[in-house]
Amino acid sequence: MRMRDTFLKPMHPEGFKFVGVFAAITVVLFLIWEPLGWIGVGLTVWCYYFFRDPARITPQVPGLVISPADGIVSLIETVSPPPELGMGDAPRLRVSVFMSVFNCHINRAPVPGEVVKVAYTPGKFLNASLDKASKDNERNGIVIRMDDGRDLGVVQIAGLVARRILCFSKEGDHLRRGERFGLIRFGSRLDVYLPEGVGTEVSIGQTMIAGETVIARLTQDNA
């Protein structure tokens, strides 16, 4: 890998306008006072890295559930899925990945399958690391139905700073494991509701890499 590739990562198109705004403000800050301009340079670089969209090598071994987000596992609980997902009331294991403002915020499909539900719910903007954020915060959930007929839910949750959830997928789309399906601006959380009876292979505090880190193994091999 060339040194340039280590520091220069592809940027998602959603970030172009924000980097442009930050750069324009930086020019103005330089005209006002040079030290302010250098602060603007730092913030512009941060904005560029926030929207970075690096290539990921997704394991294709059947039956794997891959992390949909970069970040830290903040919660592992057995709870009922949000009612808007239509996944029933039976408790499922939920793995929550908290993304700070320094993480890559591209969200990737944890399993392959058909998107059978997309549900947006308005709400508050509490700290996304809190448990009650799953119920109170603005969120967007998708349900992916795998080839074996089982459903897996993924919920994008806005955080204290985040003010925009983007979902690129719609009902009827077929996603590949590791395929990009959305992003959240700026700092947020992803909840994964595993199929009934499926356990997790991660622990609280563990670092996740979207599209690469295995969070669970399904009991069947046809996913």
Side-chain angles (χ1 to χ4, degrees), residues 179-193:
E179 182 176 351
R180 301 164 180 83
F181 75 87
L183 65 84
I184 315 175
R185 306 192 305 245
F186 289 90
S188 42
R189 171 175 144 194
L190 264 286
D191 283 351
V192 179
Y193 292 86

Side-chain angles (χ1 to χ4, degrees), residues 19-20 33 82 106 125 160 177 180 193:
V19 172
W33 189 39
I106 301 297
F125 297 95
L160 193 64
R177 182 188 288 114
R180 301 164 180 83
Y193 292 86

Side-chain angles (χ1 to χ4, degrees), residues 9-91:
K9 303 295 184 181
M11 185 174 64
H12 191 275
E14 178 68 20
F16 292 157
K17 55 188 174 184
F18 289 94
V19 172
V21 170
F22 273 67
I25 293 175
T26 296
V27 172
V28 174
L29 292 177
F30 268 117
L31 294 175
I32 295 174
W33 189 39
E34 184 174 336
L36 287 178
W38 287 111
I39 293 175
V41 169
L43 291 174
T44 301
V45 171
W46 166 79
C47 185
Y48 157 70
Y49 271 95
F50 179 88
F51 287 102
R52 65 192 183 277
D53 186 11
R56 295 287 164 82
I57 301 175
T58 301
Q60 295 303 320
V61 176
L64 298 182
V65 180
I66 305 300
S67 178
D70 285 14
I72 300 294
V73 176
S74 59
L75 294 167
I76 299 176
E77 298 179 311
T78 301
V79 296
S80 298
E84 68 268 15
L85 295 184
M87 298 177 68
D89 298 327

Side-chain angles (χ1 to χ4, degrees), residues 81-133:
E84 68 268 15
L85 295 184
M87 298 177 68
D89 298 327
R92 295 168 179 252
L93 193 64
R94 181 185 72 197
V95 179
S96 301
V97 180
F98 177 74
M99 298 179 287
S100 77
V101 295
F102 299 105
N103 288 124
C104 174
H105 273 54
I106 301 297
N107 304 146
R108 296 171 180 265
V111 293
E114 179 184 359
V115 178
V116 295
K117 184 80 171 181
V118 177
Y120 169 78
T121 304
K124 301 177 182 178
F125 297 95
L126 304 174
N127 187 329
S129 65
L130 300 176
D131 181 45
K132 62 181 179 180

